[in-house]
PDB file of all heavy atoms in Angstrom:
ATOM      1  N   SER X   1     110.139  98.328  93.728  1.00  0.00           N
ATOM      2  CA  SER X   1     110.170  98.761  92.334  1.00  0.00           C
ATOM      3  C   SER X   1     111.357  98.161  91.590  1.00  0.00           C
ATOM      4  O   SER X   1     112.491  98.402  91.982  1.00  0.00           O
ATOM      5  CB  SER X   1     110.220 100.289  92.255  1.00  0.00           C
ATOM      6  OG  SER X   1     110.261 100.742  90.923  1.00  0.00           O
ATOM      7  N   PRO X   2     111.070  97.396  90.539  1.00  0.00           N
ATOM      8  CA  PRO X   2     109.733  96.875  90.166  1.00  0.00           C
ATOM      9  C   PRO X   2     109.322  95.812  91.149  1.00  0.00           C
ATOM     10  O   PRO X   2     110.151  95.326  91.933  1.00  0.00           O
ATOM     11  CB  PRO X   2     109.987  96.304  88.760  1.00  0.00           C
ATOM     12  CG  PRO X   2     111.458  95.953  88.724  1.00  0.00           C
ATOM     13  CD  PRO X   2     112.133  96.974  89.613  1.00  0.00           C
ATOM     14  N   PRO X   3     108.062  95.372  91.122  1.00  0.00           N
ATOM     15  CA  PRO X   3     107.570  94.357  92.071  1.00  0.00           C
ATOM     16  C   PRO X   3     108.036  92.951  91.702  1.00  0.00           C
ATOM     17  O   PRO X   3     108.602  92.730  90.619  1.00  0.00           O
ATOM     18  CB  PRO X   3     106.060  94.488  91.999  1.00  0.00           C
ATOM     19  CG  PRO X   3     105.807  94.976  90.608  1.00  0.00           C
ATOM     20  CD  PRO X   3     106.968  95.858  90.259  1.00  0.00           C
ATOM     21  N   TYR X   4     107.783  92.003  92.589  1.00  0.00           N
ATOM     22  CA  TYR X   4     108.041  90.607  92.256  1.00  0.00           C
ATOM     23  C   TYR X   4     107.251  90.252  90.991  1.00  0.00           C
ATOM     24  O   TYR X   4     106.122  90.692  90.821  1.00  0.00           O
ATOM     25  CB  TYR X   4     107.592  89.679  93.381  1.00  0.00           C
ATOM     26  CG  TYR X   4     108.490  89.690  94.594  1.00  0.00           C
ATOM     27  CD1 TYR X   4     108.064  90.189  95.800  1.00  0.00           C
ATOM     28  CD2 TYR X   4     109.783  89.164  94.515  1.00  0.00           C
ATOM     29  CE1 TYR X   4     108.911  90.187  96.929  1.00  0.00           C
ATOM     30  CE2 TYR X   4     110.638  89.159  95.635  1.00  0.00           C
ATOM     31  CZ  TYR X   4     110.189  89.663  96.821  1.00  0.00           C
ATOM     32  OH  TYR X   4     111.000  89.671  97.923  1.00  0.00           O
ATOM     33  N   SER X   5     107.882  89.444  90.143  1.00  0.00           N
ATOM     34  CA  SER X   5     107.220  89.008  88.918  1.00  0.00           C
ATOM     35  C   SER X   5     107.902  87.757  88.398  1.00  0.00           C
ATOM     36  O   SER X   5     108.990  87.862  87.793  1.00  0.00           O
ATOM     37  CB  SER X   5     107.235  90.095  87.828  1.00  0.00           C
ATOM     38  OG  SER X   5     106.800  89.598  86.591  1.00  0.00           O
ATOM     39  N   PRO X   6     107.359  86.569  88.628  1.00  0.00           N
ATOM     40  CA  PRO X   6     107.976  85.348  88.095  1.00  0.00           C
ATOM     41  C   PRO X   6     108.165  85.405  86.591  1.00  0.00           C
ATOM     42  O   PRO X   6     109.141  84.870  86.047  1.00  0.00           O
ATOM     43  CB  PRO X   6     106.958  84.259  88.501  1.00  0.00           C
ATOM     44  CG  PRO X   6     106.263  84.803  89.706  1.00  0.00           C
ATOM     45  CD  PRO X   6     106.182  86.281  89.472  1.00  0.00           C
ATOM     46  N   THR X   7     107.234  86.070  85.881  1.00  0.00           N
ATOM     47  CA  THR X   7     107.304  86.214  84.430  1.00  0.00           C
ATOM     48  C   THR X   7     108.608  86.878  84.013  1.00  0.00           C
ATOM     49  O   THR X   7     109.192  86.580  82.983  1.00  0.00           O
ATOM     50  CB  THR X   7     106.118  87.001  83.877  1.00  0.00           C
ATOM     51  OG1 THR X   7     104.909  86.398  84.347  1.00  0.00           O
ATOM     52  CG2 THR X   7     106.136  87.062  82.364  1.00  0.00           C
ATOM     53  N   HIS X   8     109.066  87.847  84.826  1.00  0.00           N
ATOM     54  CA  HIS X   8     110.295  88.589  84.521  1.00  0.00           C
ATOM     55  C   HIS X   8     111.491  88.131  85.353  1.00  0.00           C
ATOM     56  O   HIS X   8     112.501  88.836  85.441  1.00  0.00           O
ATOM     57  CB  HIS X   8     110.036  90.105  84.752  1.00  0.00           C
ATOM     58  CG  HIS X   8     109.001  90.680  83.862  1.00  0.00           C
ATOM     59  ND1 HIS X   8     107.666  90.771  84.214  1.00  0.00           N
ATOM     60  CD2 HIS X   8     109.096  91.207  82.612  1.00  0.00           C
ATOM     61  CE1 HIS X   8     106.981  91.324  83.233  1.00  0.00           C
ATOM     62  NE2 HIS X   8     107.829  91.566  82.243  1.00  0.00           N
ATOM     63  N   GLY X   9     111.368  86.922  85.914  1.00  0.00           N
ATOM     64  CA  GLY X   9     112.503  86.367  86.671  1.00  0.00           C
ATOM     65  C   GLY X   9     112.697  86.928  88.053  1.00  0.00           C
ATOM     66  O   GLY X   9     113.765  86.698  88.673  1.00  0.00           O
ATOM     67  N   ARG X  10     111.708  87.643  88.580  1.00  0.00           N
ATOM     68  CA  ARG X  10     111.850  88.207  89.917  1.00  0.00           C
ATOM     69  C   ARG X  10     111.029  87.358  90.902  1.00  0.00           C
ATOM     70  O   ARG X  10     109.946  87.716  91.329  1.00  0.00           O
ATOM     71  CB  ARG X  10     111.406  89.677  89.935  1.00  0.00           C
ATOM     72  CG  ARG X  10     112.277  90.577  89.100  1.00  0.00           C
ATOM     73  CD  ARG X  10     112.003  92.043  89.328  1.00  0.00           C
ATOM     74  NE  ARG X  10     110.663  92.434  88.954  1.00  0.00           N
ATOM     75  CZ  ARG X  10     110.254  92.818  87.740  1.00  0.00           C
ATOM     76  NH1 ARG X  10     111.136  92.878  86.748  1.00  0.00           N
ATOM     77  NH2 ARG X  10     108.999  93.147  87.488  1.00  0.00           N
ATOM     78  N   HIS X  11     111.580  86.228  91.260  1.00  0.00           N
ATOM     79  CA  HIS X  11     110.943  85.301  92.196  1.00  0.00           C
ATOM     80  C   HIS X  11     111.375  85.690  93.620  1.00  0.00           C
ATOM     81  O   HIS X  11     112.456  86.199  93.818  1.00  0.00           O
ATOM     82  CB  HIS X  11     111.392  83.851  91.959  1.00  0.00           C
ATOM     83  CG  HIS X  11     111.073  83.344  90.600  1.00  0.00           C
ATOM     84  ND1 HIS X  11     109.908  82.670  90.312  1.00  0.00           N
ATOM     85  CD2 HIS X  11     111.762  83.410  89.438  1.00  0.00           C
ATOM     86  CE1 HIS X  11     109.909  82.322  89.031  1.00  0.00           C
ATOM     87  NE2 HIS X  11     111.023  82.767  88.456  1.00  0.00           N
ATOM     88  N   CYS X  12     110.508  85.409  94.595  1.00  0.00           N
ATOM     89  CA  CYS X  12     110.884  85.541  95.981  1.00  0.00           C
ATOM     90  C   CYS X  12     111.439  84.209  96.441  1.00  0.00           C
ATOM     91  O   CYS X  12     110.706  83.213  96.550  1.00  0.00           O
ATOM     92  CB  CYS X  12     109.680  85.938  96.820  1.00  0.00           C
ATOM     93  SG  CYS X  12     110.092  86.158  98.587  1.00  0.00           S
ATOM     94  N   ASN X  13     112.760  84.149  96.655  1.00  0.00           N
ATOM     95  CA  ASN X  13     113.405  82.948  97.112  1.00  0.00           C
ATOM     96  C   ASN X  13     113.797  83.066  98.579  1.00  0.00           C
ATOM     97  O   ASN X  13     114.191  84.154  99.022  1.00  0.00           O
ATOM     98  CB  ASN X  13     114.677  82.673  96.269  1.00  0.00           C
ATOM     99  CG  ASN X  13     114.348  82.513  94.799  1.00  0.00           C
ATOM    100  OD1 ASN X  13     113.474  81.741  94.432  1.00  0.00           O
ATOM    101  ND2 ASN X  13     115.062  83.251  93.945  1.00  0.00           N
ATOM    102  N   TYR X  14     113.694  81.960  99.290  1.00  0.00           N
ATOM    103  CA  TYR X  14     114.052  81.954 100.722  1.00  0.00           C
ATOM    104  C   TYR X  14     115.357  81.241 100.934  1.00  0.00           C
ATOM    105  O   TYR X  14     115.754  80.317 100.190  1.00  0.00           O
ATOM    106  CB  TYR X  14     112.947  81.242 101.513  1.00  0.00           C
ATOM    107  CG  TYR X  14     111.648  82.043 101.523  1.00  0.00           C
ATOM    108  CD1 TYR X  14     110.688  81.845 100.584  1.00  0.00           C
ATOM    109  CD2 TYR X  14     111.436  83.008 102.513  1.00  0.00           C
ATOM    110  CE1 TYR X  14     109.507  82.585 100.601  1.00  0.00           C
ATOM    111  CE2 TYR X  14     110.273  83.751 102.536  1.00  0.00           C
ATOM    112  CZ  TYR X  14     109.297  83.539 101.576  1.00  0.00           C
ATOM    113  OH  TYR X  14     108.142  84.272 101.574  1.00  0.00           O
ATOM    114  N   PHE X  15     116.098  81.697 101.983  1.00  0.00           N
ATOM    115  CA  PHE X  15     117.446  81.192 102.208  1.00  0.00           C
ATOM    116  C   PHE X  15     117.650  80.894 103.695  1.00  0.00           C
ATOM    117  O   PHE X  15     116.935  81.391 104.551  1.00  0.00           O
ATOM    118  CB  PHE X  15     118.488  82.254 101.761  1.00  0.00           C
ATOM    119  CG  PHE X  15     118.428  82.573 100.296  1.00  0.00           C
ATOM    120  CD1 PHE X  15     117.598  83.588  99.849  1.00  0.00           C
ATOM    121  CD2 PHE X  15     119.154  81.852  99.392  1.00  0.00           C
ATOM    122  CE1 PHE X  15     117.501  83.893  98.480  1.00  0.00           C
ATOM    123  CE2 PHE X  15     119.066  82.113  98.036  1.00  0.00           C
ATOM    124  CZ  PHE X  15     118.236  83.142  97.573  1.00  0.00           C
ATOM    125  N   ARG X  16     118.680  80.052 103.933  1.00  0.00           N
ATOM    126  CA  ARG X  16     119.122  79.754 105.308  1.00  0.00           C
ATOM    127  C   ARG X  16     120.631  79.555 105.285  1.00  0.00           C
ATOM    128  O   ARG X  16     121.233  79.371 104.193  1.00  0.00           O
ATOM    129  CB  ARG X  16     118.453  78.493 105.808  1.00  0.00           C
ATOM    130  CG  ARG X  16     118.822  77.230 105.031  1.00  0.00           C
ATOM    131  CD  ARG X  16     118.069  76.032 105.526  1.00  0.00           C
ATOM    132  NE  ARG X  16     118.353  74.853 104.688  1.00  0.00           N
ATOM    133  CZ  ARG X  16     117.708  73.700 104.771  1.00  0.00           C
ATOM    134  NH1 ARG X  16     116.703  73.562 105.625  1.00  0.00           N
ATOM    135  NH2 ARG X  16     118.024  72.696 103.953  1.00  0.00           N
ATOM    136  N   LYS X  17     121.225  79.586 106.446  1.00  0.00           N
ATOM    137  CA  LYS X  17     122.671  79.283 106.520  1.00  0.00           C
ATOM    138  C   LYS X  17     122.920  77.848 106.127  1.00  0.00           C
ATOM    139  O   LYS X  17     122.192  76.955 106.563  1.00  0.00           O
ATOM    140  CB  LYS X  17     123.207  79.539 107.935  1.00  0.00           C
ATOM    141  CG  LYS X  17     123.345  81.006 108.294  1.00  0.00           C
ATOM    142  CD  LYS X  17     124.037  81.159 109.636  1.00  0.00           C
ATOM    143  CE  LYS X  17     124.215  82.623 110.008  1.00  0.00           C
ATOM    144  NZ  LYS X  17     124.890  82.791 111.323  1.00  0.00           N
ATOM    145  N   SER X  18     123.943  77.637 105.321  1.00  0.00           N
ATOM    146  CA  SER X  18     124.242  76.296 104.866  1.00  0.00           C
ATOM    147  C   SER X  18     124.786  75.467 106.046  1.00  0.00           C
ATOM    148  O   SER X  18     125.629  75.943 106.805  1.00  0.00           O
ATOM    149  CB  SER X  18     125.290  76.317 103.744  1.00  0.00           C
ATOM    150  OG  SER X  18     125.716  75.003 103.461  1.00  0.00           O
ATOM    151  N   PRO X  19     124.321  74.245 106.209  1.00  0.00           N
ATOM    152  CA  PRO X  19     124.838  73.393 107.285  1.00  0.00           C
ATOM    153  C   PRO X  19     126.199  72.765 106.974  1.00  0.00           C
ATOM    154  O   PRO X  19     126.824  72.159 107.839  1.00  0.00           O
ATOM    155  CB  PRO X  19     123.766  72.301 107.428  1.00  0.00           C
ATOM    156  CG  PRO X  19     123.172  72.201 106.049  1.00  0.00           C
ATOM    157  CD  PRO X  19     123.204  73.580 105.460  1.00  0.00           C
ATOM    158  N   THR X  20     126.672  72.924 105.718  1.00  0.00           N
ATOM    159  CA  THR X  20     127.977  72.401 105.354  1.00  0.00           C
ATOM    160  C   THR X  20     129.084  73.056 106.162  1.00  0.00           C
ATOM    161  O   THR X  20     129.144  74.276 106.251  1.00  0.00           O
ATOM    162  CB  THR X  20     128.238  72.610 103.841  1.00  0.00           C
ATOM    163  OG1 THR X  20     127.140  72.074 103.098  1.00  0.00           O
ATOM    164  CG2 THR X  20     129.538  71.958 103.406  1.00  0.00           C
ATOM    165  N   LEU X  21     129.947  72.257 106.769  1.00  0.00           N
ATOM    166  CA  LEU X  21     130.929  72.766 107.719  1.00  0.00           C
ATOM    167  C   LEU X  21     132.225  73.203 107.101  1.00  0.00           C
ATOM    168  O   LEU X  21     132.975  73.960 107.689  1.00  0.00           O
ATOM    169  CB  LEU X  21     131.199  71.692 108.784  1.00  0.00           C
ATOM    170  CG  LEU X  21     130.006  71.281 109.620  1.00  0.00           C
ATOM    171  CD1 LEU X  21     130.395  70.169 110.584  1.00  0.00           C
ATOM    172  CD2 LEU X  21     129.433  72.458 110.401  1.00  0.00           C
ATOM    173  N   ASP X  22     132.587  72.701 105.891  1.00  0.00           N
ATOM    174  CA  ASP X  22     133.928  72.938 105.339  1.00  0.00           C
ATOM    175  C   ASP X  22     133.968  74.103 104.357  1.00  0.00           C
ATOM    176  O   ASP X  22     134.883  74.175 103.519  1.00  0.00           O
ATOM    177  CB  ASP X  22     134.474  71.671 104.712  1.00  0.00           C
ATOM    178  CG  ASP X  22     133.579  71.146 103.562  1.00  0.00           C
ATOM    179  OD1 ASP X  22     132.468  71.705 103.392  1.00  0.00           O
ATOM    180  OD2 ASP X  22     133.988  70.211 102.866  1.00  0.00           O
ATOM    181  N   LEU X  23     133.010  75.014 104.422  1.00  0.00           N
ATOM    182  CA  LEU X  23     133.020  76.157 103.506  1.00  0.00           C
ATOM    183  C   LEU X  23     133.947  77.252 104.082  1.00  0.00           C
ATOM    184  O   LEU X  23     133.989  77.450 105.300  1.00  0.00           O
ATOM    185  CB  LEU X  23     131.603  76.715 103.362  1.00  0.00           C
ATOM    186  CG  LEU X  23     130.612  75.758 102.683  1.00  0.00           C
ATOM    187  CD1 LEU X  23     129.187  76.264 102.811  1.00  0.00           C
ATOM    188  CD2 LEU X  23     130.977  75.552 101.207  1.00  0.00           C
ATOM    189  N   PRO X  24     134.698  77.946 103.239  1.00  0.00           N
ATOM    190  CA  PRO X  24     135.678  78.919 103.724  1.00  0.00           C
ATOM    191  C   PRO X  24     135.035  80.115 104.399  1.00  0.00           C
ATOM    192  O   PRO X  24     133.947  80.559 104.009  1.00  0.00           O
ATOM    193  CB  PRO X  24     136.432  79.347 102.429  1.00  0.00           C
ATOM    194  CG  PRO X  24     135.501  79.025 101.333  1.00  0.00           C
ATOM    195  CD  PRO X  24     134.708  77.831 101.756  1.00  0.00           C
ATOM    196  N   GLY X  25     135.729  80.649 105.413  1.00  0.00           N
ATOM    197  CA  GLY X  25     135.221  81.828 106.120  1.00  0.00           C
ATOM    198  C   GLY X  25     135.597  83.120 105.450  1.00  0.00           C
ATOM    199  O   GLY X  25     135.065  84.202 105.816  1.00  0.00           O
ATOM    200  N   GLU X  26     136.521  83.061 104.500  1.00  0.00           N
ATOM    201  CA  GLU X  26     136.852  84.250 103.709  1.00  0.00           C
ATOM    202  C   GLU X  26     137.130  83.841 102.275  1.00  0.00           C
ATOM    203  O   GLU X  26     137.569  82.739 102.021  1.00  0.00           O
ATOM    204  CB  GLU X  26     138.051  85.020 104.314  1.00  0.00           C
ATOM    205  CG  GLU X  26     139.354  84.283 104.314  1.00  0.00           C
ATOM    206  CD  GLU X  26     140.504  85.130 104.862  1.00  0.00           C
ATOM    207  OE1 GLU X  26     140.259  85.897 105.849  1.00  0.00           O
ATOM    208  OE2 GLU X  26     141.604  85.021 104.325  1.00  0.00           O
ATOM    209  N   ILE X  27     136.824  84.757 101.361  1.00  0.00           N
ATOM    210  CA  ILE X  27     137.031  84.478  99.934  1.00  0.00           C
ATOM    211  C   ILE X  27     137.612  85.699  99.268  1.00  0.00           C
ATOM    212  O   ILE X  27     137.425  86.837  99.724  1.00  0.00           O
ATOM    213  CB  ILE X  27     135.727  84.026  99.217  1.00  0.00           C
ATOM    214  CG1 ILE X  27     134.696  85.121  99.291  1.00  0.00           C
ATOM    215  CG2 ILE X  27     135.203  82.738  99.780  1.00  0.00           C
ATOM    216  CD1 ILE X  27     133.490  84.829  98.388  1.00  0.00           C
ATOM    217  N   GLU X  28     138.269  85.483  98.139  1.00  0.00           N
ATOM    218  CA  GLU X  28     138.804  86.572  97.330  1.00  0.00           C
ATOM    219  C   GLU X  28     137.877  86.790  96.147  1.00  0.00           C
ATOM    220  O   GLU X  28     137.531  85.842  95.454  1.00  0.00           O
ATOM    221  CB  GLU X  28     140.193  86.268  96.855  1.00  0.00           C
ATOM    222  CG  GLU X  28     140.847  87.394  96.061  1.00  0.00           C
ATOM    223  CD  GLU X  28     142.293  87.112  95.697  1.00  0.00           C
ATOM    224  OE1 GLU X  28     142.897  86.211  96.297  1.00  0.00           O
ATOM    225  OE2 GLU X  28     142.817  87.780  94.758  1.00  0.00           O
TER     226      GLU X  28
END
């Protein structure tokens, strides 16, 4: 609630861990 709706900007996007190695392990 509310359901997925591309019209209203509620897309189902898929993700994975980034293969980039130099990203920080902690952030402020």
Side-chain angles (χ1 to χ4, degrees):
S1 180
Y4 286 113
S5 171
T7 306
H8 296 93
R10 296 191 297 273
H11 301 267
C12 181
N13 300 310
Y14 291 91
F15 299 90
R16 65 183 175 189
K17 285 187 179 181
S18 173
T20 305
L21 298 177
D22 58 353
L23 295 170
E26 64 178 38
I27 61 170
E28 183 175 342

